[in-house]
Amino acid sequence: SVPDDMLELLSSPLVDLTTRVSSAIFGIVIIGLGIPIFCILMRYNLVVGQVCSHAWGTFFGAILPWLISWVVYQGHGVMELLSWTGLILN
């Protein structure tokens, strides 16, 4: 049985210690630090482009993506969403 999450496989005891450490560093540095930077950039672009006010830019750029990801990341939420989207659009 192969896990759905690649990082879960790379951090399992089935792989070498170097691979486990590298997957932990990748998760923290690339994924963990990248998300706040993209939230700031999205908020900045919304406010500077005069799409919305500073408060709404903060909501759409920082709060809403976290809320959406929290809802769809529970289990196989993304896979179900993609499956239904494919059924409806095709």
Side-chain angles (χ1 to χ4, degrees):
S1 163
V2 177
D4 293 333
D5 186 3
M6 187 67 173
L7 283 177
E8 184 179 337
L9 175 65
L10 292 175
S11 62
S12 72
L14 301 173
V15 296
D16 188 40
L17 177 64
T18 306
T19 306
R20 285 185 280 173
V21 170
S22 298
S23 71
I25 291 172
F26 176 81
I28 294 169
V29 173
I30 301 298
I31 298 173
L33 296 179
I35 293 172
I37 292 171
F38 284 121
C39 287
I40 292 168
L41 289 173
M42 191 180 334
R43 183 191 67 192
Y44 176 78
N45 287 332
L46 287 170
V47 172
V48 170
Q50 297 178 349
V51 175
C52 55
S53 67
H54 182 73
W56 282 109
T58 301
F59 176 75
F60 288 127
I63 298 170
L64 186 63
W66 286 102
L67 291 175
I68 291 172
S69 67
W70 181 73
V71 169
V72 298
Y73 195 70
Q74 306 297 322
H76 294 274
V78 174
M79 294 304 293
E80 289 182 27
L81 177 68
L82 290 174
S83 296
W84 279 104
T85 303
L87 285 172
I88 292 171
L89 295 178
N90 286 328

